[in-house]
Structures are given as structure tokens and as C-alpha cells.
Amino acid sequence: MHTDGPLLIVAGAGTGKTTVITQKIAEIVAKKLAKPEEILALTFTEKAAQEMQDRIEGLLNTGYTDMQVSTFHAFCQRLIENYGLDIGISNQPRLLTEVDAWILIRQNLDKFNLNYYQPMGNPTKYIHELIKHFSKCKDEMISPADYLDYAKNVKLDADHVPQGYMASIDEKNRLEEIAAAYHIYNQILLDNNAMDFSDLIYYSVKLLEERKNVLKKIQERYKYILVDEFQDVNWSQYRLVQLLAGDKGNLTVVGDDDQSIYAFRGASVSNIMRFKDDYKDVKEVVLNENYRSGQEILDIAYKSIKNNDPDRLEVKLNINKKLVSKAEGAGIVRHLHFNNGEDETAEVVNEIMNLKDKDETAVWDDFAILVRANSNAEPFAQALEKAKIPYEHLASRGLYRQPIVLDCVNYFKLLDNYHEPTAIYRLLRLPFWNFTEEDMQKFLNTAKRKSIPYYEALKSASQFGLSQEGIKTCLKLTSLIDEGVKKARFEPPSIVLYNFLDKSDYLKYLARSENEGARDIIRQIYQLRQWLDYIEKYEQNVSDATVAGFMEHYQQIREAGDDGQLYIPTDTPDSVNIMTVHMSKGMEFKYVFIVNMVEQKFPSRSMGSGIEVPIALIKEQLPEGDIHYQEERRLFYVAATRAKSRLYFTSADDYGGKTKRKISRFLDEIKIEREELNNLKIKSIVPVKKEMEKNETKAELVYELPKTFSFSQIKSYKTCPYQYKLANIVKLPMKNSHYFTFGNTIHNTLQEFYNQVRVMNGSIQDSLFTKSKKIDKNGGTRVPSLENLLAIYEKKWSDDWFLSKKQREDYYADGKKMLKQFYKDNEDNWTIPVAIEGGFKLKIGKYTLSGRIDRIDRLADGTLEVIDYKTGASMEKATGDDKDQLLIYQIVAETMPEYRNLGKTAKLTYYFLKDAIRTDFIGEPDDLVKLEEKIEKAIDSIHERDFTATPNKHICDNCSYKDICEFRV
């Protein structure tokens, strides 16, 4: 309800802080204090941003064109894209991950002149630490010039004895070396048109500080700013928020210092205290009613976190942060102690089975095993496997170690060197080929006896006494290698890989197994999608990407020590969850087991903090206590407050090694009674009851449905629900068409062209809508030249998915011809669109439909023409789905204020670029009502999870999955 002035919300665990933010945004919109696009909500992860966006859409009863609910980095990337040129940096930088930065430094290592940080035996040893150090500097808004100046002016300690004096000189040299390296690193980034993630915020702050006109524009746009997880902001993020909010101060920040597990050196309390100083009239609210956990669980957690005093807000602000449970039941907390790690693992699994057996309402997803580090998870995964209990090890790393990714990598290896024996061996083992063990032994032994390379052996398989199926498999693999080598000469890696997955029947195997509910296959599909996304991202950053170039890049990222980021889906099969405490933040479970509660495991051993930033350059106020143990204690607090009904701590005397392990100090601090459980062995694990395995471990996965739908998704569902499921729910990779590639190129070309038209005629570059402007029919409107239009086309052109070199060349020529005709047709009557690629979120009943409108023009009489480009054959009249798509745009234009205020919609036009023909109409009110009812009915069916295939010859002939679908006609 507080909508005027700054607001600080201190929200404890489970008190509903995300609900507070989303309800507040809905309140602001309902009171018409601001439009949705005038609200900015910032958080730290894509997952949190998406959850917030989905919740807001569920609360709003109206559609909107744009709302900035995003991560700090995504918001700043947009700022740089729009205004980077204003401070002399690229507005289209290549964004580097830490691994990308590692590769860039290694390639330019000779430019750094390192001595202290470049050991002769291992010159790349400190690259990761250097990158982290540079990132910390940018987080603290330390410029290279400031660092160099500081290092140059550091005074030597003349009072020390000669040996100490020399050490001081050594320290000065070290500082000058690291400061110079920081300067060189930033220059290399600029020279390569690249930025790391810290740069996005660093340069955004510089932009807003140095360009007051840009700052004013951004401040005028966002009337309300809300920041989630405020305890984790660093100084640069704090400064960004401060600049955005300006003097009006309609700024809401929500945080909990006790859950700060990412902040730099205790910044959580420091920045919140600074917020209180900077905004004297701040309204302060403390949320301490917990809706998740029993009181006993909350009391234990509070007793622990109190040991971080006095570096907590409760002390600093003199507030009460003790959580009060509003959940059912008091909660149970137990500490189970064992002789060794095997006993601990066995009893955790047995207790899970006992609880599941006694609690009729419990599902496997109600259980979580929390580890401090991923390396501690494997024994529990093995024990659950032995007990035949379904589980998910939700690791944040390890994509490149997944079996399906290794299959793909080994296929690429063969295209670069088809004599790679281990790669051939792995692919012969693909499960859907049924290459028997007997065939494998004959193949290996004969190849060895005759000293034949495996690739040659594949070709000669018929002479090795293999079964007919074995010979067929060998010849198929040979064919795939040969075809892949040819394709790799002119096709990008993603298309080469898709061709292998398709023609090897890998995709058919995945689709069939998914339909049968195979858990492992469902995980593999997620992993394959992530791997293809990674390859496609590489292709976007590298012109003329090849398989050989990608494999060289892949070897470099593996050398850099990267295992690959794993996206964790929320709709995993019903299964016990194994994860790190870091990953558990934001989650909740009925039963939680925090394992390995001994010193040096939890809390973990202090590993040091790498290359320290000089204290004199740090803006934060550092805590009084031990930074490492305070951080670990906050992790312990987060872990404990994930539990709803029961919380288990487990520990053991022996995890290997000679010394007996000491119980975690965190358990000593809370004085919890220890239950000694001895003489259990891993062999005591008994598999789950047969009826439980039959009824529950084979249960069908209930996929999480999209929160927002597009018209193309609705069209896909109406065509065939199973096609929709594979494409939009399962996200099984599909073969795109050259029609899509070409159409996308033309659309992107015209979007860029008209953006330039708007800029040249005084419209704001980053604004969705332009102000009303009378069109000069005598050709007075300024437009880019035809040569400029064709240059844009060249830049936007994509070679993907064409069937042959000739087809690609023909389409390229047709595109040029099409654009020349388009330019000629409009030469004496150019328009300045009032909207280009206008986004929208339209409410239809209880659902949200999203999309983009290609272009909206204002006609001479002041009415609007909605235009959609088509690159295919022209039609005299829009019918069916084509008509429905434009009718949706009419609903948007007539009902959403941002569009309605532009004028009355008079025309819906398909612009057929190939034939230079326009077909237009306008929908009647009945047409619009019937369309909304049709869309709502289709989404109702999706929510009922009716994905039954509806095959017929026409549908199947035009389906991207026709070669792998078992239901096809």
C-alpha cells in the first residue's frame, strides 16, 4: 500500500517477499499510478525474474506492451544496446562468460607482462583468479586509471628491517603488476568489441553518471523501481539503483541479510545501512510471519544465525527478526550421528522410505538431501539408485559430462578426424542401434588382429562375421560420418548435428522413450536442448562458424576447467531432490536432510578469497566478525529454513582418512541433542516396495505448462496437440525450414530499416511508439538509401537450413529483388511507422497471449493500418489462421491503451513482398469475440494436458517431426 517514497522491506525466510513485490506492482497498476511499462523490477536470476513476471501476469486483469522484470545484467545490456555509443563504446558488444574471458586472456597472455602471476611451469595458473579480481574491481566501480594511480602512489614502509622493506617493495611491484593487468584486460575487451558481465553494470553506471540527458530519459520512463534480494547487491548495482531512482525515490527494496549467500565481503548489511542513510524518509517494514516451517525449525535456525551478531540488521537497526510460524504443526528437528559415511547414507535413504511409507500424502518431490558441495552428493545418489527410489541430482554444472552431450561431441570428433577409435566405439554403443556385445567383440578383435583402423573396419564389417543388424549399424555409422564430413564444409555445427540426430534415429528414440515416460530420456532431452542452445550461441558470436572451429573452442573451454552450465527444469519427474544448499535457495520441501554436518564439510574449509582488492579502494563497510564462517552460517540458515515439517541433520565420525571428524560448530552452537545410530551398513538398504515402485516410480511426468502463449503455439496445438507438446513442452529439437530462415531475414532487415527511418526523422531510438507525425507525401520523409537497405540485408542474411548451395543462392537473389521492388514501390510515399515490432501481452480470459506486430502506420485521415509482412505466395483474401493472426492484432490495437491511444484501427494488411501486393480487411466485433472464445478453448485443452496426436496425411506431410513421430500417417 505504500506507493509514495522509498520503502525498505526486511523479509525473513518464507515470509512471502516475492508475493509482496508482485502484489505491489498489481496495486500500482490498479490505482493507475503507473502503466506496466513504467515499472522496473530487478532481481538476480533469470528464474526469479520469470517467476515474478508470471505471477504479475496472473494478478493483472489487463494486458500490457512492456514491463521490465529482469535481472540487473539483462536490464543493463538493454541500456548499453540503446545508449552505448553515447559514451564511446559499442552498442552491440559480444558478451563473454568467465570461460570466454579465460580464452581471450590466454590468447593475449604475452601482452600482460606478468611476473608475479605467471609461474613459468604453469603460465595459465592464475587466469581465473585474475578474472575474478577484475570483476570485483568493476563491482566496486574501480576504474583502471584509479587502480594504476593507487598502485603508483602506495608508500613503502621505511620503518621495517631490510628484509621486510624488500617485502614491501615486492608488494608494491605486485600491486603495479595487477593494476596494469586490469588496464590491459579492459583494453583487450574494447579492442575485441567484447564485455564481461561486470562490464554491463560498470558501463551502465558510467553512462548514467556522465550523460545526464540519458539519465533523465530513463528516470522519466520508470516511475517505480523495485529490487528483490537487495542483500546481495554490490556497490555498482547499488549505485545503478540509486541513479535510476533519482530524487523522486519511489524505490522499494526487499531483502534479508541472513540469507545473503552471494554478497561480496559482507555487503548485505553495508548496502542496506547505506540505503537508510541515503533515503532519510524511508518507510521500514519487517516481515517475520513465516508461512512455510514449523516453529521448532524456525527457532533452531534463529538460534544459529544469532551467532553472526553484531553484523546483522537485527542489531544494526534494532528490529525483531525472529520468525513466527503460521504453518501447521510445530515441526521436528533431529540430529542423527553415525560411525561412518556409509551408515549415514544408508539411514538417510531408509528414513526417506519410512517417511514415504507412513505419510500417505507425501510424494518423492517432498524430500530433499542438501549437500554443501556437489562432490558430496554421489554416495546418496548411489544409495537411492540401489533402493530404486527415483531421484534428481540437481547440479548446476556438468552439462559437458552428460552422456547425450558426449555422444554429440564424439560425432563431431569423427568429422574432424574419422580415425578416432574411441569416438567410433562410443557411437556403436548408442542404445537404439542394438549393436550386440557379440558383434562388438568380433568387430574389436578382428580390427586389432588385422591392424585395421576402426573407420576402415566399419566399411569392411561384412567380412567380420557380424550379424546382419551389426553390419547394417556399421554401414549406417559410416554413411553418417561421410555425410557429416561433407556437410561440415559449408553448414554450421548446429545443422550438422541435427542431421546426425535425425538420420541416426536418435531423435526418434528420444521421442518414443519420452512418450513411454522414461525418466532418464526426459532428462537427456533437457540436456540436448541446452547443448544445442550453447552451439547456436557460439554460432551467433562467430561468423562462418564451422564444426572444426567449434571443436577447437570446445577444447579451450574444457582446458579452462569449465564443465558446462546446466539449466535446472522445475518440472522434473516426481523424485527425491539432491542439491547444494546454494541451489536450494528459494525452494521448500516437506522433509529436508542436511548431511555431512562435520567440520571442513559444513562449514567448508576456508579456501582464501583469491587476489584481494586493496581495502582502500573498497566502498563497502566490512563486517567485524569472521567473513568465511559468517557466510557459511548464513548458508546453514538458508538450508534449515527450506524444511516445512521435518529437518534432519546427519553426521559421522569417519569419512575416510586417519582422524575422527569433529561435529560441525553450527550444531554445537544450537545445542541440539545427538542421536547415536551405529552398526548400519549400506547393504541394509532394501529396495522400495514393489507396489510403490509400480505405482509411483513409473508415474507419468506432469510437465509444467507455459504461463504465456503465442498465436503460433495455439495454431500448432490446433493442428496436432502432440506436435505442440514435442515443440513447446518437451522442446525436442526440430528441423527448421529454409522458408523460416528466409522470412526471418526479410523481417529483421525491414525492422532495422524502419528503425533507422524513425531515428532519421526524430523518433526516439529505444521507444516502442513514436509521437504523432504528419507524413510528407511529397517525399520529404528522410529514409536510408537503397544501398543501405541492401547492406542491412547482407548483415541479416542467414545461410541456415537451405537444402543446397543453389537454393541458397536463388533465395538470396530473390531477397535482393524483393527489397529493390519494395524500395521502388514506396519511394514517393514513405511512412514513419508509429510502432515497429510492437510487443504485447494480451489477457484473454484468465490466460495471457504474447506476440509482436511487425508494423503500424498512421494513414492520412489519422486512422491506423496494422501491417504484417509475408514472404510467401500472395493471397487474394486472408482466411483461417492467417485471418485470425491479424484479428488478434486488431484486438490488441483496440483494447490496449498504449495502442488505442495512437488512433482508430481502420486496416489489417498482409503485405506480400514477393509480388508487391497488399491484402487488407477489418474484423467485425463478432469476429473478435469468436476468436477470443476459440483461443480460450484451445488453452483450456492445453491445461487439461490433452496432447493426443491427430494425424492425417496433410498434417503429417507438413510436420517438422514427421520423420520421428510414431503416430504419423
Side-chain angles (χ1 to χ4, degrees):
M1 304 300 289
H2 180 84
T3 55
D4 185 19
L7 173 65
L8 168 63
I9 302 173
V10 181
T15 58
K17 63 184 177 61
T18 305
T19 299
V20 167
I21 293 177
T22 53
Q23 291 282 357
K24 189 177 185 68
I25 291 173
E27 180 82 6
I28 291 168
V29 174
K31 286 183 175 178
K32 298 185 177 179
L33 299 170
K35 299 172 186 175
E37 57 267 27
E38 295 173 328
I39 299 169
L40 172 63
L42 295 171
T43 188
F44 282 83
T45 66
E46 293 288 352
K47 179 183 174 184
Q50 188 59 55
E51 180 187 354
M52 201 181 296
Q53 181 92 45
D54 293 340
R55 287 212 210 177
I56 292 167
E57 286 173 4
L59 291 171
L60 296 179
N61 55 14
T62 182
Y64 58 91
T65 58
D66 187 26
M67 183 189 296
Q68 277 292 306
V69 180
S70 74
T71 63
F72 277 91
H73 292 101
F75 173 75
C76 289
Q77 185 170 2
R78 185 167 169 174
L79 268 185
I80 297 297
E81 287 170 353
N82 288 324
Y83 301 107
L85 297 177
D86 289 59
I87 54 170
I89 60 174
S90 171
N91 64 343
Q92 293 292 325
R94 182 164 64 97
L95 194 57
L96 304 184
T97 64
E98 184 177 330
V99 175
D100 295 329
W102 188 96
I103 293 170
L104 189 63
I105 290 178
R106 195 190 69 166
Q107 291 170 343
N108 293 274
L109 203 55
D110 58 321
K111 296 178 182 178
F112 282 82
N113 299 315
L114 295 174
N115 179 30
Y116 194 98
Y117 289 110
Q118 186 174 331
M120 292 184 64
N122 184 7
T124 63
K125 180 177 179 180
Y126 293 117
I127 292 181
H128 278 301
E129 291 303 328
L130 288 169
I131 292 169
K132 290 174 184 175
H133 181 77
F134 301 155
S135 179
K136 288 178 185 177
C137 290
K138 292 171 187 177
D139 290 346
E140 289 291 303
M141 293 302 299
I142 303 167
S143 71
D146 289 341
Y147 207 154
L148 284 166
D149 186 60
Y150 169 80
K152 183 179 178 181
N153 291 294
V154 165
K155 294 182 180 179
L156 299 175
D157 186 356
D159 295 331
H160 282 182
V161 295
Q163 186 177 355
Y165 182 67
M166 292 302 295
S168 294
I169 292 174
D170 192 45
E171 173 62 10
K172 183 175 175 65
N173 289 339
R174 185 192 71 83
L175 281 171
E176 290 181 347
E177 178 178 306
I178 199 76
Y182 180 41
H183 170 75
I184 293 164
Y185 171 69
N186 279 290
Q187 190 58 52
I188 290 172
L189 289 178
L190 292 171
D191 292 344
N192 285 272
N193 188 34
M195 285 187 183
D196 59 30
F197 280 92
S198 295
D199 277 326
L200 290 174
I201 299 171
Y202 177 84
Y203 283 116
S204 292
V205 171
K206 300 281 282 183
L207 167 73
L208 298 179
E209 286 180 337
E210 295 175 11
R211 297 291 179 260
K212 301 302 180 185
N213 60 321
V214 175
L215 175 62
K216 183 180 178 184
K217 197 181 297 183
I218 302 299
Q219 287 176 341
E220 287 174 351
R221 173 169 182 180
Y222 297 114
K223 294 182 179 178
Y224 287 89
I225 299 171
L226 303 95
V227 184
D228 194 14
E229 305 287 7
F230 191 68
Q231 74 277 355
D232 288 333
V233 299
N234 56 44
W235 168 245
S236 64
Q237 290 162 340
Y238 181 90
R239 181 66 184 137
L240 176 77
V241 170
Q242 190 180 41
L243 287 164
L244 293 172
D247 296 331
K248 65 180 183 297
N250 281 334
L251 172 61
T252 297
V253 300
V254 185
D256 179 14
D257 59 308
D258 293 333
Q259 295 185 80
S260 175
I261 57 176
Y262 299 108
F264 169 51
R265 301 194 67 170
S268 52
V269 173
S270 172
N271 282 330
I272 292 177
M273 295 303 293
R274 180 181 277 114
F275 184 81
K276 292 264 296 178
D277 292 337
D278 290 341
Y279 298 92
K280 301 294 185 184
D281 57 341
V282 61
K283 171 74 173 176
E284 187 180 296
V285 176
V286 179
L287 301 181
N288 57 8
E289 293 184 348
N290 176 286
Y291 297 91
R292 177 190 298 153
S293 308
Q295 190 63 54
E296 186 174 341
I297 295 169
L298 298 178
D299 289 346
I300 284 289
Y302 182 70
K303 192 173 184 180
S304 171
I305 202 65
K306 285 285 289 178
N307 288 277
N308 274 2
D309 288 345
D311 294 312
R312 294 177 60 244
L313 282 179
E314 191 169 41
V315 176
K316 301 285 186 183
L317 300 182
N318 193 27
I319 57 177
N320 178 18
K321 288 192 62 192
K322 192 174 190 302
L323 296 176
V324 178
S325 175
K326 296 296 179 181
E328 291 184 11
I332 294 173
V333 183
R334 296 175 64 188
H335 172 201
L336 311 180
H337 185 72
F338 307 90
N339 283 338
N340 55 59
E342 284 191 352
D343 291 352
E344 178 187 11
T345 305
E347 185 58 16
V348 166
V349 173
N350 285 329
E351 184 67 9
I352 288 172
M353 286 193 285
N354 290 336
L355 291 169
K356 179 72 166 58
D357 194 35
K358 292 174 183 176
D359 185 348
E360 295 180 356
T361 65
V363 294
W364 294 119
D365 261 331
D366 285 329
F367 297 88
I369 299 173
L370 303 187
V371 294
R372 177 61 185 86
N374 271 314
S375 57
N376 299 327
E378 191 57 35
F380 296 94
Q382 291 175 358
L384 290 168
E385 189 85 43
K386 185 172 183 178
K388 295 187 178 179
I389 296 174
Y391 71 91
E392 291 285 341
H393 178 197
L394 302 179
S396 61
R397 311 293 298 176
L399 176 64
Y400 307 146
R401 291 186 278 108
Q402 303 307 314
I404 196 166
V405 173
L406 291 173
D407 292 340
C408 298
V409 168
N410 278 278
Y411 177 67
F412 277 172
K413 282 182 180 178
L414 289 173
L415 306 188
D416 190 42
N417 175 14
Y418 53 80
H419 290 296
E420 186 79 42
T422 55
I424 290 175
Y425 175 81
R426 182 176 186 90
L427 294 185
L428 284 175
R429 288 285 193 189
L430 291 176
F432 48 89
W433 277 353
N434 297 317
F435 195 70
T436 65
E437 192 61 40
E438 183 180 356
D439 280 341
M440 182 62 79
Q441 291 305 315
K442 288 180 180 178
F443 177 84
L444 298 177
N445 292 337
T446 307
K448 183 178 180 181
R449 189 174 68 251
K450 295 188 175 185
S451 300
I452 302 175
Y454 282 4
Y455 175 73
E456 301 301 328
L458 289 176
K459 292 183 173 181
S460 308
S462 60
Q463 303 171 26
F464 288 9
L466 272 59
S467 67
Q468 287 303 308
E469 185 68 24
I471 295 170
K472 183 180 174 183
T473 298
C474 289
L475 294 178
K476 187 165 191 174
L477 180 53
T478 305
S479 172
L480 287 167
I481 295 169
D482 293 345
E483 185 177 358
V485 169
K486 291 175 185 175
K487 278 190 167 293
R489 293 173 187 159
F490 59 88
E491 296 281 15
S494 60
I495 294 180
V496 176
L497 179 57
Y498 179 87
N499 188 69
F500 163 70
L501 296 169
D502 183 29
K503 294 193 174 179
S504 67
D505 290 337
Y506 213 137
L507 292 178
K508 184 184 291 185
Y509 161 72
L510 294 175
R512 184 179 67 248
S513 303
E514 183 281 330
N515 196 49
E516 295 169 356
R519 294 171 181 276
D520 287 344
I521 298 302
I522 293 165
R523 279 194 290 269
Q524 287 182 42
I525 293 173
Y526 282 128
Q527 293 155 4
L528 176 60
R529 181 67 266 167
Q530 292 172 66
W531 175 241
L532 278 167
D533 287 344
Y534 181 81
I535 295 174
E536 288 165 4
K537 185 178 178 183
Y538 168 82
E539 292 170 357
Q540 291 168 10
N541 290 327
V542 178
S543 59
D544 301 323
T546 63
V547 171
F550 175 75
M551 286 304 291
E552 183 179 351
H553 170 76
Y554 177 73
Q555 293 304 323
Q556 288 176 334
I557 63 176
R558 299 300 283 131
E559 185 183 340
D562 187 28
D563 265 347
Q565 190 74 30
L566 265 173
Y567 165 73
I568 307 301
T570 56
D571 52 356
T572 54
D574 179 28
S575 48
V576 175
N577 303 278
I578 309 175
M579 67 183 76
T580 64
V581 179
H582 277 98
M583 286 199 65
S584 73
K585 191 160 184 266
M587 300 182 180
E588 58 183 41
F589 306 94
K590 195 170 188 178
Y591 305 109
V592 170
F593 294 80
I594 307 175
V595 298
N596 300 163
M597 288 300 303
V598 294
E599 289 290 296
Q600 299 187 1
K601 280 184 176 286
F602 200 174
S604 66
R605 183 187 294 110
S606 177
M607 303 297 289
S609 52
I611 305 171
E612 293 281 3
V613 176
I615 291 177
L617 296 175
I618 294 175
K619 313 294 192 303
E620 317 292 358
Q621 180 181 345
L622 301 181
E624 299 173 27
D626 186 294
I627 293 171
H628 171 69
Y629 288 117
Q630 286 187 349
E631 176 93 356
E632 291 289 305
R633 195 173 284 108
R634 288 194 293 270
L635 273 172
F636 179 77
Y637 179 83
V638 166
T641 53
R642 300 310 94 196
K644 295 162 73 174
S645 297
R646 285 183 179 237
L647 173 62
Y648 291 84
F649 303 113
T650 67
S651 58
D653 290 330
D654 180 12
Y655 290 97
K658 297 180 179 179
T659 58
K660 181 179 178 180
R661 292 302 186 102
K662 190 177 178 183
I663 295 294
S664 168
R665 67 188 65 200
F666 299 151
L667 297 185
D668 285 340
E669 288 169 354
I670 59 178
K671 301 293 190 293
I672 185 170
E673 184 179 346
R674 186 163 79 186
E675 301 174 42
E676 298 282 352
L677 297 173
N678 300 317
N679 302 318
L680 295 164
K681 296 295 178 187
I682 198 78
K683 64 183 179 183
S684 66
I685 292 179
V686 178
V688 292
K689 296 176 181 177
K690 288 294 180 184
E691 60 270 21
M692 193 184 295
E693 180 183 351
K694 180 181 178 182
N695 295 334
E696 300 188 50
T697 65
K698 302 297 182 185
E700 181 184 354
L701 168 63
V702 179
Y703 285 103
E704 183 178 8
L705 298 175
K707 302 294 190 298
T708 304
F709 298 85
S710 68
F711 178 75
S712 62
Q713 289 176 2
I714 303 299
K715 179 181 175 182
S716 173
Y717 183 81
K718 285 164 56 187
T719 302
C720 175
Y722 185 61
Q723 177 197 77
Y724 168 83
K725 178 189 176 185
L726 290 180
N728 298 286
I729 306 295
V730 179
K731 293 184 172 62
L732 190 71
M734 73 167 74
K735 183 178 183 179
N736 282 329
S737 71
H738 54 277
Y739 303 115
F740 174 82
T741 298
F742 180 69
N744 207 35
T745 296
I746 297 295
H747 274 73
N748 291 339
T749 299
L750 291 177
Q751 179 190 351
E752 177 65 24
F753 176 79
Y754 273 110
N755 274 334
Q756 290 189 19
V757 169
R758 295 177 73 192
V759 172
M760 291 172 72
N761 290 276
S763 299
I764 300 171
Q765 183 179 356
D766 67 322
S767 173
L768 173 60
F769 307 108
T770 185
K771 294 177 181 177
S772 176
K773 193 180 184 86
K774 189 175 180 180
I775 305 302
D776 186 344
K777 289 197 170 185
N778 298 317
T781 303
R782 299 173 63 196
V783 296
S785 66
L786 173 61
E787 290 73 22
N788 194 315
L789 173 62
L790 296 178
I792 296 171
Y793 174 64
E794 181 77 33
K795 185 174 72 172
K796 300 293 184 182
W797 175 258
S798 171
D799 284 342
D800 294 352
W801 301 107
F802 289 98
L803 301 177
S804 66
K805 181 180 179 182
K806 184 179 186 306
Q807 186 190 58
R808 183 186 296 114
E809 291 171 348
D810 288 347
Y811 265 88
Y812 180 78
D814 285 347
K816 270 195 168 182
K817 181 180 176 182
M818 195 182 292
L819 291 171
K820 287 177 181 178
Q821 185 63 46
F822 169 83
Y823 200 92
K824 181 180 179 182
D825 290 345
N826 289 277
E827 201 154 18
D828 296 325
N829 193 27
W830 288 109
T831 61
I832 305 171
V834 293
I836 289 288
E837 287 292 310
F840 62 82
K841 294 286 183 72
L842 178 67
K843 295 293 284 192
I844 294 183
K846 59 187 176 183
Y847 303 120
T848 303
L849 197 71
S850 67
R852 289 190 173 277
I853 301 173
D854 285 353
R855 179 174 136 204
I856 301 178
D857 282 359
R858 179 171 284 109
L859 302 173
D861 62 359
T863 59
L864 303 180
E865 179 182 18
V866 176
I867 299 171
D868 194 74
Y869 303 123
K870 290 290 184 184
T871 54
S874 57
M875 299 180 294
E876 291 184 11
K877 183 180 179 181
T879 59
D881 289 327
D882 291 318
K883 181 180 180 181
D884 287 348
Q885 183 170 3
L886 285 182
L887 288 175
I888 287 172
Y889 298 161
Q890 183 178 341
I891 295 171
V892 170
E894 291 182 353
T895 61
M896 294 180 63
E898 296 79 9
Y899 289 97
R900 191 175 63 232
N901 294 340
L902 295 172
K904 181 181 178 181
T905 303
K907 274 186 182 182
L908 304 175
T909 300
Y910 272 127
Y911 193 150
F912 294 98
L913 297 162
K914 184 176 183 179
D915 303 317
I917 292 174
R918 291 174 179 244
T919 299
D920 64 76
F921 70 99
I922 194 71
E924 298 296 327
D926 280 355
D927 295 332
L928 306 183
V929 171
K930 288 177 182 176
L931 177 58
E932 289 198 39
E933 290 173 351
K934 188 161 58 173
I935 290 172
E936 194 167 4
K937 184 178 178 182
I939 301 178
D940 281 341
S941 297
I942 292 173
H943 274 261
E944 289 165 6
R945 291 180 166 80
D946 180 4
F947 300 123
T948 306
T950 56
N952 66 44
K953 191 173 189 310
H954 174 72
I955 290 173
C956 295
D957 282 349
N958 293 282
C959 178
S960 298
Y961 296 111
K962 63 183 177 184
D963 294 330
I964 66 172
C965 178
E966 60 185 297
F967 304 110
R968 70 182 177 187
V969 173

